[in-house]
Amino acid sequence: PNEPPVVFHWFPVIGSTITYGMDPPRFFKENRAKFGDIFTFILLGKKTTVYLGTTGNDFVLNGKHKDVCAEDIYGVLTTPVFGKDVVYDCPNSKLMEQKKFMKVALTTTAFQSYVPIIADEVSSYVKRCPDFKGKSGIVNIPKNMAEITIFTASHSLQGSEIRSKFDESLAALYHDLDMGFTPVNFMLHWAPLPWNKKRDHAQRTIAKVYMDTIKERRAAGKSDAQDMMWHLMSATYKNNVPVPDHEIAHMLIALLMAGQHSSSSTSSWMMLRLASRPDIMEALYREQVEALGADLPALTYEDLAKLPLNQAIVKETLRLHAPIHSIMRAVKSPMPVSGTKYVIPTSHTLLSAAGVTATDPAYFPEPDLWEPTRWNKDSPLAPSLARNEAEEEEKIDYGYGLVSKGGHSPYLPFGAGRHRCIGEQFANVQLQTINAMIVRMFKFRNVDGSDKVIATDYASLFSRPIEPANIYWEKRD
Ligand code: HEM
């Protein structure tokens, strides 16, 4: 009686699985129009309660650990992919320590060393890739962006030994590992199916590659490289236990997987959006010439801060194309929803979808328009984020360092609360560097010259452009 309204459905177990799965944002908006911010639907037999709006974002993402739990939902999917004893295969307090270790490695000094590595990976990729032979052509861009993402992330975060192995064995193994991340595995993760066997073999083989590299490094002695592996090798838990090698290996897999899908999808959308707005691509080129000089010297970390439009490309693309459309939590104790008569029982799953507020005209004028200049404070399209700005000031420590509380923000592509992304700064550095380098080399437009953008594929865990997502490219002289 005190439960939220249930979305109408014909069949008991299937419920709304199909309508939700085909287009989650549309499903959320249609039901928000009917029921308001809070409603329940059946997802694969499970009562799933969606709480939208800024209050809903905060309710789910900043829920207390005694009330909400991520590992009960995601563990079945992530443990076989990442490996044991990390992330969702350990108590939350241990995850908080692991996030602290990973975050400590992502410092300004590290980023200063990463930008040249990332910039070089992008230009050497374009030089050797057969898709970019000649002066102009048409390319299905997501495949190239996936490769650029994994080369840049592995080289910067995991070091040159691991990067060199991506040209041979590791790329294919990660491909197999990735098949564990398909949504049917929420139910079939345990099954002895061909793709699960490949997943398990890939997990063991990749972990061994990392563990062997750790041993080699230890034998060779300390280096001054700034990569994640070195940092984790010297990390110690609060109880004085050093992080075991298998946990280092599994954390490295987790980091690469977490970053890969989200950054690769975002960079594909950035390229597709640029192709739909050649005027912005030109403005980006002029921005670099004006801020860095006509000879466009080798890009540095400090340069990124001088390129506000380049920064806004990432921000605006994540507003419309956040790769994670739904964040779920198991309910561990009945949760009263203040200001309503509802109590969410422990039989429900909670779902947060901050993409809905990020495309709400109440906060973002002309919300469906991709307009990076709106992040300019005096733009007529500037967002109204008053409460967000106040909350951004308020800091909180969940055990992995101070983060802004910010759960009431309408713009949360990196989440909030104890599970908030620790890769945000890295992703920004990576995506801004990739964008700046591509802008130096290319002019893009849509193949038909229009300003259309391709539709979104929601069938995998991270949403991405439907393929083929072709763009026309032309090299700058
Ligand atoms: C968590 C988004 C890149 C590592 C998250 C969460 C979101 C997110 C929404 C919260 C998930 C939840 O509450 O259940 C993104 C986006 C990215 C990105 C949009 C890029 C555009 C990265 C990168 C890394 C990374 C590059 C690694 C270097 C993590 C980790 C967590 C996380 C370790 C914590 C998971 C937890 O505590 O449960 N990310 N992420 N992410 N992300 Fe990212």
Side-chain angles (χ1 to χ4, degrees):
N2 291 331
E3 293 182 18
V6 179
V7 175
F8 176 80
H9 52 274
W10 291 100
F11 304 106
V13 176
I14 297 171
S16 306
T17 307
I18 312 281
T19 33
Y20 162 74
M22 304 237 298
D23 191 340
R26 183 160 149 197
F27 178 78
F28 297 140
K29 281 179 192 172
E30 283 176 3
N31 286 298
R32 185 187 207 187
K34 270 186 218 151
F35 301 111
D37 278 341
I38 184 161
F39 54 87
T40 300
F41 74 100
I42 308 299
L43 176 60
L44 298 171
K46 183 85 187 171
K47 283 186 179 167
T48 304
T49 293
V50 183
Y51 195 172
L52 302 171
T54 52
T55 311
N57 294 347
D58 188 63
F59 183 84
V60 181
L61 300 176
N62 272 318
K64 295 201 174 63
H65 186 55
K66 71 164 183 50
D67 295 333
V68 294
C69 169
E71 53 271 33
D72 285 6
I73 305 275
Y74 296 122
V76 291
L77 211 79
T78 54
T79 302
V81 173
F82 301 162
K84 292 215 164 298
D85 300 327
V86 302
V87 188
Y88 304 130
D89 190 49
C90 61
N92 183 265
S93 57
K94 185 167 174 179
L95 169 61
M96 294 301 111
E97 281 199 76
Q98 294 176 341
K99 286 178 77 171
K100 188 172 70 188
F101 301 149
M102 300 191 269
K103 209 176 154 204
V104 178
L106 301 170
T107 56
T108 303
T109 334
F111 295 148
Q112 284 166 334
S113 72
Y114 292 170
V115 170
I117 294 177
I118 296 170
D120 282 351
E121 283 285 357
V122 179
S123 45
S124 69
Y125 178 86
V126 169
K127 276 191 200 114
R128 70 175 185 272
C129 178
D131 296 340
F132 298 109
K133 278 270 174 308
K135 281 203 172 321
S136 65
I138 292 172
V139 66
N140 173 26
I141 200 74
K143 172 186 148 279
N144 308 90
M145 296 324 287
E147 289 176 348
I148 288 179
T149 309
I150 202 132
F151 294 145
T152 54
S154 62
H155 196 166
S156 54
L157 290 174
Q158 310 199 329
S160 41
E161 305 104 301
I162 298 294
R163 164 64 185 92
S164 64
K165 293 186 179 134
F166 265 93
D167 294 324
E168 306 131 31
S169 52
L170 277 179
L173 287 166
Y174 264 105
H175 183 268
D176 286 350
L177 192 59
D178 213 41
M179 294 195 288
F181 260 3
T182 148
V184 297
N185 262 20
F186 272 120
M187 309 195 78
L188 297 178
H189 52 91
W190 53 271
L193 294 159
W195 72 80
N196 285 340
K197 286 184 185 162
K198 283 189 167 182
R199 171 198 66 188
D200 295 343
H201 173 260
Q203 197 282 331
R204 283 192 301 270
T205 318
I206 298 172
K208 184 162 185 315
V209 170
Y210 288 133
M211 287 192 279
D212 290 346
T213 311
I214 293 168
K215 285 199 196 80
E216 283 160 25
R217 283 185 169 196
R218 216 175 262 127
K222 188 91 186 106
S223 126
D224 51 5
Q226 292 286 336
D227 63 51
M228 185 64 75
M229 190 185 277
W230 277 116
H231 277 278
L232 296 178
M233 284 169 66
S234 53
T236 308
Y237 286 113
K238 280 190 210 126
N239 60 6
N240 283 327
V241 176
V243 180
D245 288 2
H246 77 278
E247 290 187 16
I248 301 178
H250 298 171
M251 272 189 258
L252 290 171
I253 296 177
L255 276 179
L256 208 68
M257 294 293 282
Q260 178 58 24
H261 291 280
S262 40
S263 290
S264 136
S265 151
T266 307
S267 61
S268 299
W269 285 118
M270 287 178 357
M271 300 304 121
L272 291 164
R273 286 291 182 173
L274 290 184
S276 77
R277 290 287 302 275
D279 60 317
I280 300 272
M281 201 160 182
E282 267 321 289
L284 282 165
Y285 186 74
R286 283 199 308 277
E287 180 182 64
Q288 287 199 53
V289 169
E290 276 156 34
L292 312 176
D295 57 333
L296 296 178
L299 201 67
T300 68
Y301 176 66
E302 283 70 24
D303 290 341
L304 297 178
K306 300 177 195 155
L307 306 172
L309 184 60
N310 194 58
Q311 293 176 322
I313 300 296
V314 178
K315 230 175 161 181
E316 181 69 346
T317 303
L318 282 171
R319 188 180 68 78
L320 289 179
H321 303 287
I324 301 177
H325 56 72
S326 303
I327 290 180
M328 300 202 209
R329 300 286 186 256
V331 180
K332 302 305 276 185
S333 53
M335 292 173 75
V337 180
S338 75
T340 75
K341 60 182 194 301
Y342 304 136
V343 178
I344 316 296
T346 55
S347 54
H348 287 210
T349 297
L350 264 175
L351 189 156
S352 167
V356 174
T357 45
T359 51
D360 186 335
Y363 306 104
F364 296 92
E366 294 194 50
D368 300 328
L369 188 68
W370 181 82
E371 187 48 74
T373 58
R374 75 164 72 236
W375 294 95
N376 216 322
K377 279 214 163 33
D378 9 275
S379 161
L381 297 179
S384 46
L385 305 171
R387 175 151 191 190
N388 172 28
E389 276 157 13
E391 251 189 344
E392 281 293 314
E393 307 286 304
E394 208 182 317
K395 302 283 176 195
I396 183 161
D397 190 349
Y398 291 97
Y400 61 94
L402 282 178
V403 292
S404 67
K405 193 140 186 280
H408 286 94
S409 172
Y411 178 79
L412 292 171
F414 294 98
R418 65 179 59 244
H419 292 286
R420 193 184 197 292
C421 188
I422 49 127
E424 174 176 3
Q425 286 83 0
F426 176 79
N428 272 311
V429 166
Q430 182 188 29
L431 293 168
Q432 289 172 26
T433 306
I434 292 174
N435 200 61
M437 293 307 291
I438 295 288
V439 163
R440 286 180 178 200
M441 291 184 269
F442 291 106
K443 293 179 184 182
F444 289 165
R445 61 173 165 76
N446 274 339
V447 177
D448 64 1
S450 74
D451 60 358
K452 284 200 300 261
V453 210
I454 214 122
T456 305
D457 176 357
Y458 295 104
S460 62
L461 284 185
F462 296 80
S463 36
R464 57 183 187 213
I466 288 181
E467 291 187 50
N470 289 334
I471 59 179
Y472 171 84
W473 58 267
E474 199 181 304
K475 283 195 189 136
R476 281 182 190 279
D477 297 316

